Amino acid sequence: MNIINLHNNSSPKERYYLLDSNVWLPILGIDDEPTSEHYKIFFDKILKHDIAKILLCPLQLSELLNRLLRFHGNKAFGKKYKGKTGVIPSFSEFYKAEYRGSNDYKIRYESIIDDLDGYSSHIVFTDVHQKTFLQLTSFDASKLDFNDHYLYVLAKEQSAMIVTHDADFFGLDVSVGTFNLKLYKAYTSSIQPKK
């Protein structure tokens, strides 16, 4: 495992990058962390270099679309039912029965697709190749979820660097780039020789 401090090493290289969803979501419109600005700048640097490419697989595309559309659906739900009394549907009921058929949903979906299409010259749409069912489904669930495991398998297969702000990929045999100094310091401390 190799963790790169992107504060000190933020020039994209000739390689594949796999952006964790916690990096993609602020780029695509859910911005709730001040640190996400660093990742947006790094993303812009990738877009300026023809040598760097971003991997995106169908599983992550699905995760991003669902998270973004549910985010916008939740805002619409709050707006429609704020201060209302009486019988109010659950968010899930509202989302399935009303929001997915709404014009707002269609506009939001098309906007997300347009954004991704705008980046398509630097995105390589790919998937995991030649893995068995057991290889895809065997992982330590106490350390990461299935989607993160799938991204790890893809990154390993493509020799890609995973760009993330969380520690889900800590300890795995892939390169990880982060602006999270706490994560980077934990890594450097873990490789220090014991006295």
Side-chain angles (χ1 to χ4, degrees), residues 115-157:
D115 286 346
L116 288 169
D117 188 43
Y119 307 136
S120 65
S121 64
H122 281 78
I123 295 176
V124 175
F125 291 96
T126 189
D127 212 344
V128 171
H129 302 288
Q130 301 177 349
K131 297 293 176 198
T132 66
F133 181 75
L134 192 58
Q135 288 171 312
L136 288 177
T137 58
S138 296
F139 65 98
D140 186 352
S142 68
K143 294 185 178 180
L144 67 166
D145 65 24
F146 177 78
N147 285 11
D148 285 342
H149 168 70
Y150 197 88
L151 295 181
Y152 156 73
V153 171
L154 180 62
K156 185 165 175 61
E157 187 176 277

mmCIF file of all heavy atoms in Angstrom, residues 115-157:
data_model
loop_
_atom_site.group_PDB
_atom_site.id
_atom_site.type_symbol
_atom_site.label_atom_id
_atom_site.label_comp_id
_atom_site.label_asym_id
_atom_site.label_seq_id
_atom_site.Cartn_x
_atom_site.Cartn_y
_atom_site.Cartn_z
ATOM 1 N N ASP A 115 -23.214 16.819 -17.035
ATOM 2 C CA ASP A 115 -21.943 17.072 -16.341
ATOM 3 C C ASP A 115 -20.959 15.938 -16.613
ATOM 4 O O ASP A 115 -19.800 16.188 -16.972
ATOM 5 C CB ASP A 115 -22.153 17.212 -14.832
ATOM 6 C CG ASP A 115 -22.804 18.527 -14.446
ATOM 7 O OD1 ASP A 115 -22.866 19.447 -15.291
ATOM 8 O OD2 ASP A 115 -23.270 18.620 -13.292
ATOM 9 N N LEU A 116 -21.404 14.709 -16.426
ATOM 10 C CA LEU A 116 -20.522 13.562 -16.653
ATOM 11 C C LEU A 116 -20.080 13.487 -18.111
ATOM 12 O O LEU A 116 -18.912 13.203 -18.394
ATOM 13 C CB LEU A 116 -21.204 12.265 -16.225
ATOM 14 C CG LEU A 116 -21.337 12.078 -14.717
ATOM 15 C CD1 LEU A 116 -22.260 10.913 -14.398
ATOM 16 C CD2 LEU A 116 -19.970 11.879 -14.074
ATOM 17 N N ASP A 117 -20.991 13.769 -19.029
ATOM 18 C CA ASP A 117 -20.641 13.754 -20.443
ATOM 19 C C ASP A 117 -19.595 14.827 -20.753
ATOM 20 O O ASP A 117 -18.704 14.619 -21.575
ATOM 21 C CB ASP A 117 -21.892 13.951 -21.304
ATOM 22 C CG ASP A 117 -21.611 13.746 -22.779
ATOM 23 O OD1 ASP A 117 -20.899 12.778 -23.125
ATOM 24 O OD2 ASP A 117 -22.094 14.560 -23.587
ATOM 25 N N GLY A 118 -19.678 15.945 -20.071
ATOM 26 C CA GLY A 118 -18.691 17.008 -20.250
ATOM 27 C C GLY A 118 -17.292 16.598 -19.834
ATOM 28 O O GLY A 118 -16.308 17.153 -20.310
ATOM 29 N N TYR A 119 -17.202 15.621 -18.952
ATOM 30 C CA TYR A 119 -15.908 15.119 -18.495
ATOM 31 C C TYR A 119 -15.471 13.868 -19.259
ATOM 32 O O TYR A 119 -14.418 13.310 -18.991
ATOM 33 C CB TYR A 119 -15.961 14.771 -17.004
ATOM 34 C CG TYR A 119 -16.468 15.872 -16.107
ATOM 35 C CD1 TYR A 119 -17.381 15.592 -15.096
ATOM 36 C CD2 TYR A 119 -16.034 17.197 -16.244
ATOM 37 C CE1 TYR A 119 -17.845 16.597 -14.258
ATOM 38 C CE2 TYR A 119 -16.510 18.195 -15.413
ATOM 39 C CZ TYR A 119 -17.405 17.887 -14.415
ATOM 40 O OH TYR A 119 -17.868 18.869 -13.582
ATOM 41 N N SER A 120 -16.290 13.409 -20.189
ATOM 42 C CA SER A 120 -16.080 12.094 -20.805
ATOM 43 C C SER A 120 -14.758 11.941 -21.534
ATOM 44 O O SER A 120 -14.265 10.820 -21.672
ATOM 45 C CB SER A 120 -17.246 11.729 -21.727
ATOM 46 O OG SER A 120 -17.302 12.623 -22.819
ATOM 47 N N SER A 121 -14.129 13.030 -21.967
ATOM 48 C CA SER A 121 -12.830 12.897 -22.626
ATOM 49 C C SER A 121 -11.751 12.422 -21.653
ATOM 50 O O SER A 121 -10.716 11.919 -22.078
ATOM 51 C CB SER A 121 -12.410 14.226 -23.264
ATOM 52 O OG SER A 121 -12.216 15.215 -22.265
ATOM 53 N N HIS A 122 -12.009 12.565 -20.363
ATOM 54 C CA HIS A 122 -11.049 12.123 -19.350
ATOM 55 C C HIS A 122 -11.558 10.951 -18.511
ATOM 56 O O HIS A 122 -10.920 10.548 -17.562
ATOM 57 C CB HIS A 122 -10.681 13.295 -18.441
ATOM 58 C CG HIS A 122 -9.697 14.201 -19.071
ATOM 59 N ND1 HIS A 122 -10.049 15.130 -20.028
ATOM 60 C CD2 HIS A 122 -8.362 14.303 -18.928
ATOM 61 C CE1 HIS A 122 -8.972 15.766 -20.421
ATOM 62 N NE2 HIS A 122 -7.933 15.284 -19.779
ATOM 63 N N ILE A 123 -12.719 10.443 -18.864
ATOM 64 C CA ILE A 123 -13.271 9.304 -18.136
ATOM 65 C C ILE A 123 -13.180 8.056 -19.002
ATOM 66 O O ILE A 123 -13.521 8.089 -20.181
ATOM 67 C CB ILE A 123 -14.745 9.559 -17.737
ATOM 68 C CG1 ILE A 123 -14.835 10.710 -16.732
ATOM 69 C CG2 ILE A 123 -15.365 8.289 -17.148
ATOM 70 C CD1 ILE A 123 -16.251 11.085 -16.355
ATOM 71 N N VAL A 124 -12.705 7.002 -18.398
ATOM 72 C CA VAL A 124 -12.682 5.698 -19.057
ATOM 73 C C VAL A 124 -13.760 4.864 -18.371
ATOM 74 O O VAL A 124 -13.649 4.544 -17.186
ATOM 75 C CB VAL A 124 -11.301 5.015 -18.928
ATOM 76 C CG1 VAL A 124 -11.335 3.619 -19.520
ATOM 77 C CG2 VAL A 124 -10.224 5.870 -19.583
ATOM 78 N N PHE A 125 -14.822 4.562 -19.109
ATOM 79 C CA PHE A 125 -15.888 3.719 -18.567
ATOM 80 C C PHE A 125 -15.442 2.270 -18.715
ATOM 81 O O PHE A 125 -15.182 1.801 -19.826
ATOM 82 C CB PHE A 125 -17.209 3.974 -19.303
ATOM 83 C CG PHE A 125 -17.780 5.322 -19.007
ATOM 84 C CD1 PHE A 125 -17.541 6.392 -19.858
ATOM 85 C CD2 PHE A 125 -18.523 5.535 -17.861
ATOM 86 C CE1 PHE A 125 -18.051 7.652 -19.577
ATOM 87 C CE2 PHE A 125 -19.041 6.794 -17.575
ATOM 88 C CZ PHE A 125 -18.800 7.853 -18.432
ATOM 89 N N THR A 126 -15.317 1.604 -17.600
ATOM 90 C CA THR A 126 -14.817 0.238 -17.614
ATOM 91 C C THR A 126 -15.451 -0.539 -16.480
ATOM 92 O O THR A 126 -16.187 0.010 -15.673
ATOM 93 C CB THR A 126 -13.276 0.223 -17.506
ATOM 94 O OG1 THR A 126 -12.793 -1.102 -17.737
ATOM 95 C CG2 THR A 126 -12.793 0.723 -16.157
ATOM 96 N N ASP A 127 -15.150 -1.801 -16.438
ATOM 97 C CA ASP A 127 -15.683 -2.656 -15.386
ATOM 98 C C ASP A 127 -14.626 -3.675 -15.013
ATOM 99 O O ASP A 127 -13.629 -3.841 -15.714
ATOM 100 C CB ASP A 127 -16.964 -3.356 -15.858
ATOM 101 C CG ASP A 127 -17.949 -3.595 -14.730
ATOM 102 O OD1 ASP A 127 -17.555 -3.507 -13.547
ATOM 103 O OD2 ASP A 127 -19.115 -3.871 -15.026
ATOM 104 N N VAL A 128 -14.863 -4.375 -13.929
ATOM 105 C CA VAL A 128 -13.969 -5.435 -13.507
ATOM 106 C C VAL A 128 -14.034 -6.558 -14.548
ATOM 107 O O VAL A 128 -15.104 -6.884 -15.044
ATOM 108 C CB VAL A 128 -14.383 -5.952 -12.105
ATOM 109 C CG1 VAL A 128 -13.632 -7.193 -11.724
ATOM 110 C CG2 VAL A 128 -14.205 -4.852 -11.073
ATOM 111 N N HIS A 129 -12.888 -7.111 -14.875
ATOM 112 C CA HIS A 129 -12.824 -8.172 -15.874
ATOM 113 C C HIS A 129 -12.355 -9.483 -15.245
ATOM 114 O O HIS A 129 -11.551 -9.478 -14.326
ATOM 115 C CB HIS A 129 -11.851 -7.801 -16.999
ATOM 116 C CG HIS A 129 -12.210 -6.525 -17.675
ATOM 117 N ND1 HIS A 129 -13.293 -6.407 -18.511
ATOM 118 C CD2 HIS A 129 -11.652 -5.290 -17.613
ATOM 119 C CE1 HIS A 129 -13.372 -5.164 -18.942
ATOM 120 N NE2 HIS A 129 -12.398 -4.467 -18.409
ATOM 121 N N GLN A 130 -12.854 -10.564 -15.742
ATOM 122 C CA GLN A 130 -12.374 -11.914 -15.436
ATOM 123 C C GLN A 130 -12.192 -12.189 -13.945
ATOM 124 O O GLN A 130 -11.153 -12.648 -13.503
ATOM 125 C CB GLN A 130 -11.059 -12.170 -16.176
ATOM 126 C CG GLN A 130 -11.204 -12.031 -17.670
ATOM 127 C CD GLN A 130 -9.894 -12.211 -18.395
ATOM 128 O OE1 GLN A 130 -8.837 -12.248 -17.805
ATOM 129 N NE2 GLN A 130 -9.968 -12.327 -19.702
ATOM 130 N N LYS A 131 -13.192 -11.906 -13.180
ATOM 131 C CA LYS A 131 -13.188 -12.246 -11.758
ATOM 132 C C LYS A 131 -14.267 -13.290 -11.514
ATOM 133 O O LYS A 131 -15.313 -13.283 -12.145
ATOM 134 C CB LYS A 131 -13.468 -11.017 -10.883
ATOM 135 C CG LYS A 131 -12.421 -9.940 -10.992
ATOM 136 C CD LYS A 131 -11.104 -10.397 -10.425
ATOM 137 C CE LYS A 131 -10.035 -9.343 -10.622
ATOM 138 N NZ LYS A 131 -8.703 -9.851 -10.494
ATOM 139 N N THR A 132 -13.979 -14.160 -10.575
ATOM 140 C CA THR A 132 -14.969 -15.166 -10.223
ATOM 141 C C THR A 132 -15.958 -14.572 -9.221
ATOM 142 O O THR A 132 -15.693 -13.533 -8.609
ATOM 143 C CB THR A 132 -14.298 -16.397 -9.587
ATOM 144 O OG1 THR A 132 -13.732 -16.012 -8.318
ATOM 145 C CG2 THR A 132 -13.223 -16.979 -10.496
ATOM 146 N N PHE A 133 -17.052 -15.240 -9.056
ATOM 147 C CA PHE A 133 -18.050 -14.831 -8.066
ATOM 148 C C PHE A 133 -17.405 -14.721 -6.690
ATOM 149 O O PHE A 133 -17.628 -13.748 -5.964
ATOM 150 C CB PHE A 133 -19.196 -15.851 -8.059
ATOM 151 C CG PHE A 133 -20.290 -15.509 -7.087
ATOM 152 C CD1 PHE A 133 -21.194 -14.502 -7.369
ATOM 153 C CD2 PHE A 133 -20.404 -16.198 -5.891
ATOM 154 C CE1 PHE A 133 -22.199 -14.178 -6.475
ATOM 155 C CE2 PHE A 133 -21.411 -15.881 -4.990
ATOM 156 C CZ PHE A 133 -22.311 -14.866 -5.285
ATOM 157 N N LEU A 134 -16.582 -15.679 -6.328
ATOM 158 C CA LEU A 134 -15.927 -15.683 -5.025
ATOM 159 C C LEU A 134 -14.984 -14.489 -4.878
ATOM 160 O O LEU A 134 -14.953 -13.837 -3.829
ATOM 161 C CB LEU A 134 -15.165 -16.992 -4.821
ATOM 162 C CG LEU A 134 -14.661 -17.265 -3.419
ATOM 163 C CD1 LEU A 134 -15.807 -17.271 -2.415
ATOM 164 C CD2 LEU A 134 -13.918 -18.595 -3.378
ATOM 165 N N GLN A 135 -14.225 -14.151 -5.922
ATOM 166 C CA GLN A 135 -13.318 -13.001 -5.853
ATOM 167 C C GLN A 135 -14.083 -11.695 -5.678
ATOM 168 O O GLN A 135 -13.607 -10.776 -5.017
ATOM 169 C CB GLN A 135 -12.451 -12.926 -7.111
ATOM 170 C CG GLN A 135 -11.390 -13.999 -7.178
ATOM 171 C CD GLN A 135 -10.719 -14.018 -8.535
ATOM 172 O OE1 GLN A 135 -11.372 -14.005 -9.571
ATOM 173 N NE2 GLN A 135 -9.391 -14.076 -8.522
ATOM 174 N N LEU A 136 -15.247 -11.617 -6.275
ATOM 175 C CA LEU A 136 -16.032 -10.384 -6.174
ATOM 176 C C LEU A 136 -16.792 -10.260 -4.863
ATOM 177 O O LEU A 136 -17.110 -9.163 -4.434
ATOM 178 C CB LEU A 136 -17.021 -10.280 -7.338
ATOM 179 C CG LEU A 136 -16.413 -9.981 -8.697
ATOM 180 C CD1 LEU A 136 -17.494 -9.984 -9.764
ATOM 181 C CD2 LEU A 136 -15.673 -8.652 -8.685
ATOM 182 N N THR A 137 -17.082 -11.379 -4.236
ATOM 183 C CA THR A 137 -17.934 -11.327 -3.052
ATOM 184 C C THR A 137 -17.215 -11.629 -1.743
ATOM 185 O O THR A 137 -17.824 -11.528 -0.680
ATOM 186 C CB THR A 137 -19.116 -12.309 -3.202
ATOM 187 O OG1 THR A 137 -18.601 -13.630 -3.415
ATOM 188 C CG2 THR A 137 -20.014 -11.901 -4.366
ATOM 189 N N SER A 138 -15.935 -11.958 -1.790
ATOM 190 C CA SER A 138 -15.174 -12.249 -0.568
ATOM 191 C C SER A 138 -14.357 -11.031 -0.160
ATOM 192 O O SER A 138 -13.430 -10.633 -0.871
ATOM 193 C CB SER A 138 -14.243 -13.442 -0.790
ATOM 194 O OG SER A 138 -14.981 -14.596 -1.048
ATOM 195 N N PHE A 139 -14.716 -10.436 0.969
ATOM 196 C CA PHE A 139 -13.994 -9.275 1.477
ATOM 197 C C PHE A 139 -14.301 -9.107 2.953
ATOM 198 O O PHE A 139 -15.229 -9.720 3.477
ATOM 199 C CB PHE A 139 -14.358 -8.011 0.697
ATOM 200 C CG PHE A 139 -15.800 -7.589 0.842
ATOM 201 C CD1 PHE A 139 -16.157 -6.598 1.742
ATOM 202 C CD2 PHE A 139 -16.797 -8.189 0.088
ATOM 203 C CE1 PHE A 139 -17.480 -6.216 1.887
ATOM 204 C CE2 PHE A 139 -18.120 -7.809 0.213
ATOM 205 C CZ PHE A 139 -18.469 -6.818 1.114
ATOM 206 N N ASP A 140 -13.502 -8.295 3.622
ATOM 207 C CA ASP A 140 -13.669 -8.047 5.046
ATOM 208 C C ASP A 140 -14.679 -6.922 5.251
ATOM 209 O O ASP A 140 -14.339 -5.739 5.140
ATOM 210 C CB ASP A 140 -12.319 -7.685 5.664
ATOM 211 C CG ASP A 140 -12.377 -7.544 7.174
ATOM 212 O OD1 ASP A 140 -13.487 -7.566 7.753
ATOM 213 O OD2 ASP A 140 -11.295 -7.407 7.783
ATOM 214 N N ALA A 141 -15.918 -7.287 5.524
ATOM 215 C CA ALA A 141 -17.001 -6.307 5.669
ATOM 216 C C ALA A 141 -16.800 -5.389 6.871
ATOM 217 O O ALA A 141 -17.413 -4.328 6.942
ATOM 218 C CB ALA A 141 -18.350 -7.022 5.773
ATOM 219 N N SER A 142 -15.938 -5.749 7.801
ATOM 220 C CA SER A 142 -15.682 -4.859 8.933
ATOM 221 C C SER A 142 -14.803 -3.673 8.522
ATOM 222 O O SER A 142 -14.715 -2.690 9.244
ATOM 223 C CB SER A 142 -15.023 -5.620 10.085
ATOM 224 O OG SER A 142 -13.707 -6.025 9.730
ATOM 225 N N LYS A 143 -14.168 -3.760 7.349
ATOM 226 C CA LYS A 143 -13.288 -2.682 6.886
ATOM 227 C C LYS A 143 -13.866 -1.863 5.744
ATOM 228 O O LYS A 143 -13.575 -0.685 5.613
ATOM 229 C CB LYS A 143 -11.940 -3.257 6.464
ATOM 230 C CG LYS A 143 -11.183 -3.849 7.631
ATOM 231 C CD LYS A 143 -9.817 -4.292 7.243
ATOM 232 C CE LYS A 143 -9.120 -4.836 8.474
ATOM 233 N NZ LYS A 143 -7.789 -5.284 8.206
ATOM 234 N N LEU A 144 -14.673 -2.477 4.884
ATOM 235 C CA LEU A 144 -15.250 -1.734 3.770
ATOM 236 C C LEU A 144 -16.519 -2.406 3.303
ATOM 237 O O LEU A 144 -16.766 -3.566 3.611
ATOM 238 C CB LEU A 144 -14.252 -1.577 2.621
ATOM 239 C CG LEU A 144 -13.785 -2.776 1.829
ATOM 240 C CD1 LEU A 144 -13.084 -2.279 0.558
ATOM 241 C CD2 LEU A 144 -12.783 -3.612 2.586
ATOM 242 N N ASP A 145 -17.354 -1.634 2.583
ATOM 243 C CA ASP A 145 -18.595 -2.201 2.075
ATOM 244 C C ASP A 145 -18.362 -2.812 0.695
ATOM 245 O O ASP A 145 -17.268 -2.711 0.131
ATOM 246 C CB ASP A 145 -19.724 -1.163 2.072
ATOM 247 C CG ASP A 145 -19.487 0.009 1.126
ATOM 248 O OD1 ASP A 145 -18.723 -0.121 0.148
ATOM 249 O OD2 ASP A 145 -20.092 1.068 1.351
ATOM 250 N N PHE A 146 -19.406 -3.425 0.135
ATOM 251 C CA PHE A 146 -19.237 -4.118 -1.141
ATOM 252 C C PHE A 146 -18.819 -3.165 -2.254
ATOM 253 O O PHE A 146 -17.933 -3.468 -3.054
ATOM 254 C CB PHE A 146 -20.511 -4.867 -1.558
ATOM 255 C CG PHE A 146 -20.351 -5.529 -2.905
ATOM 256 C CD1 PHE A 146 -19.653 -6.706 -3.028
ATOM 257 C CD2 PHE A 146 -20.860 -4.929 -4.055
ATOM 258 C CE1 PHE A 146 -19.458 -7.301 -4.276
ATOM 259 C CE2 PHE A 146 -20.671 -5.510 -5.299
ATOM 260 C CZ PHE A 146 -19.967 -6.708 -5.409
ATOM 261 N N ASN A 147 -19.444 -1.984 -2.322
ATOM 262 C CA ASN A 147 -19.097 -1.046 -3.393
ATOM 263 C C ASN A 147 -17.632 -0.626 -3.311
ATOM 264 O O ASN A 147 -16.949 -0.544 -4.332
ATOM 265 C CB ASN A 147 -20.002 0.187 -3.362
ATOM 266 C CG ASN A 147 -21.385 -0.104 -3.888
ATOM 267 O OD1 ASN A 147 -21.763 -1.255 -4.098
ATOM 268 N ND2 ASN A 147 -22.159 0.932 -4.094
ATOM 269 N N ASP A 148 -17.129 -0.357 -2.093
ATOM 270 C CA ASP A 148 -15.721 -0.004 -1.946
ATOM 271 C C ASP A 148 -14.826 -1.194 -2.319
ATOM 272 O O ASP A 148 -13.776 -1.009 -2.935
ATOM 273 C CB ASP A 148 -15.420 0.454 -0.522
ATOM 274 C CG ASP A 148 -15.941 1.853 -0.244
ATOM 275 O OD1 ASP A 148 -16.226 2.589 -1.210
ATOM 276 O OD2 ASP A 148 -16.060 2.220 0.943
ATOM 277 N N HIS A 149 -15.240 -2.381 -1.947
ATOM 278 C CA HIS A 149 -14.475 -3.575 -2.344
ATOM 279 C C HIS A 149 -14.406 -3.682 -3.865
ATOM 280 O O HIS A 149 -13.355 -3.960 -4.441
ATOM 281 C CB HIS A 149 -15.110 -4.844 -1.755
ATOM 282 C CG HIS A 149 -14.573 -6.105 -2.332
ATOM 283 N ND1 HIS A 149 -13.291 -6.553 -2.074
ATOM 284 C CD2 HIS A 149 -15.125 -7.001 -3.186
ATOM 285 C CE1 HIS A 149 -13.086 -7.679 -2.745
ATOM 286 N NE2 HIS A 149 -14.189 -7.972 -3.417
ATOM 287 N N TYR A 150 -15.520 -3.434 -4.515
ATOM 288 C CA TYR A 150 -15.573 -3.508 -5.975
ATOM 289 C C TYR A 150 -14.632 -2.474 -6.595
ATOM 290 O O TYR A 150 -13.907 -2.765 -7.547
ATOM 291 C CB TYR A 150 -17.018 -3.276 -6.436
ATOM 292 C CG TYR A 150 -17.283 -3.712 -7.852
ATOM 293 C CD1 TYR A 150 -17.672 -5.013 -8.131
ATOM 294 C CD2 TYR A 150 -17.159 -2.825 -8.910
ATOM 295 C CE1 TYR A 150 -17.926 -5.433 -9.432
ATOM 296 C CE2 TYR A 150 -17.413 -3.218 -10.204
ATOM 297 C CZ TYR A 150 -17.796 -4.533 -10.461
ATOM 298 O OH TYR A 150 -18.041 -4.931 -11.741
ATOM 299 N N LEU A 151 -14.628 -1.246 -6.038
ATOM 300 C CA LEU A 151 -13.720 -0.211 -6.537
ATOM 301 C C LEU A 151 -12.264 -0.615 -6.306
ATOM 302 O O LEU A 151 -11.401 -0.363 -7.158
ATOM 303 C CB LEU A 151 -14.016 1.132 -5.869
ATOM 304 C CG LEU A 151 -15.374 1.756 -6.178
ATOM 305 C CD1 LEU A 151 -15.517 3.093 -5.463
ATOM 306 C CD2 LEU A 151 -15.595 1.916 -7.672
ATOM 307 N N TYR A 152 -11.992 -1.226 -5.166
ATOM 308 C CA TYR A 152 -10.638 -1.722 -4.883
ATOM 309 C C TYR A 152 -10.211 -2.753 -5.933
ATOM 310 O O TYR A 152 -9.105 -2.686 -6.471
ATOM 311 C CB TYR A 152 -10.573 -2.315 -3.472
ATOM 312 C CG TYR A 152 -9.480 -3.328 -3.305
ATOM 313 C CD1 TYR A 152 -8.141 -2.932 -3.251
ATOM 314 C CD2 TYR A 152 -9.770 -4.687 -3.222
ATOM 315 C CE1 TYR A 152 -7.134 -3.871 -3.119
ATOM 316 C CE2 TYR A 152 -8.768 -5.623 -3.086
ATOM 317 C CZ TYR A 152 -7.448 -5.214 -3.042
ATOM 318 O OH TYR A 152 -6.445 -6.148 -2.924
ATOM 319 N N VAL A 153 -11.092 -3.710 -6.235
ATOM 320 C CA VAL A 153 -10.776 -4.744 -7.228
ATOM 321 C C VAL A 153 -10.487 -4.090 -8.581
ATOM 322 O O VAL A 153 -9.517 -4.441 -9.268
ATOM 323 C CB VAL A 153 -11.915 -5.791 -7.340
ATOM 324 C CG1 VAL A 153 -11.708 -6.728 -8.515
ATOM 325 C CG2 VAL A 153 -12.040 -6.580 -6.038
ATOM 326 N N LEU A 154 -11.301 -3.117 -8.958
ATOM 327 C CA LEU A 154 -11.099 -2.415 -10.223
ATOM 328 C C LEU A 154 -9.777 -1.643 -10.214
ATOM 329 O O LEU A 154 -9.008 -1.692 -11.181
ATOM 330 C CB LEU A 154 -12.266 -1.465 -10.507
ATOM 331 C CG LEU A 154 -12.181 -0.659 -11.799
ATOM 332 C CD1 LEU A 154 -12.156 -1.576 -13.022
ATOM 333 C CD2 LEU A 154 -13.357 0.307 -11.893
ATOM 334 N N ALA A 155 -9.486 -0.929 -9.129
ATOM 335 C CA ALA A 155 -8.241 -0.159 -9.033
ATOM 336 C C ALA A 155 -7.025 -1.079 -9.107
ATOM 337 O O ALA A 155 -6.052 -0.776 -9.803
ATOM 338 C CB ALA A 155 -8.214 0.648 -7.732
ATOM 339 N N LYS A 156 -7.101 -2.195 -8.423
ATOM 340 C CA LYS A 156 -5.985 -3.154 -8.439
ATOM 341 C C LYS A 156 -5.790 -3.708 -9.843
ATOM 342 O O LYS A 156 -4.664 -3.778 -10.346
ATOM 343 C CB LYS A 156 -6.250 -4.266 -7.441
ATOM 344 C CG LYS A 156 -5.094 -5.236 -7.297
ATOM 345 C CD LYS A 156 -5.258 -6.074 -6.064
ATOM 346 C CE LYS A 156 -4.202 -7.136 -5.943
ATOM 347 N NZ LYS A 156 -2.849 -6.626 -5.855
ATOM 348 N N GLU A 157 -6.867 -4.071 -10.483
ATOM 349 C CA GLU A 157 -6.808 -4.639 -11.828
ATOM 350 C C GLU A 157 -6.228 -3.650 -12.839
ATOM 351 O O GLU A 157 -5.487 -4.026 -13.739
ATOM 352 C CB GLU A 157 -8.214 -5.058 -12.237
ATOM 353 C CG GLU A 157 -8.305 -5.806 -13.540
ATOM 354 C CD GLU A 157 -9.735 -6.249 -13.802
ATOM 355 O OE1 GLU A 157 -10.125 -7.298 -13.268
ATOM 356 O OE2 GLU A 157 -10.449 -5.518 -14.507
#
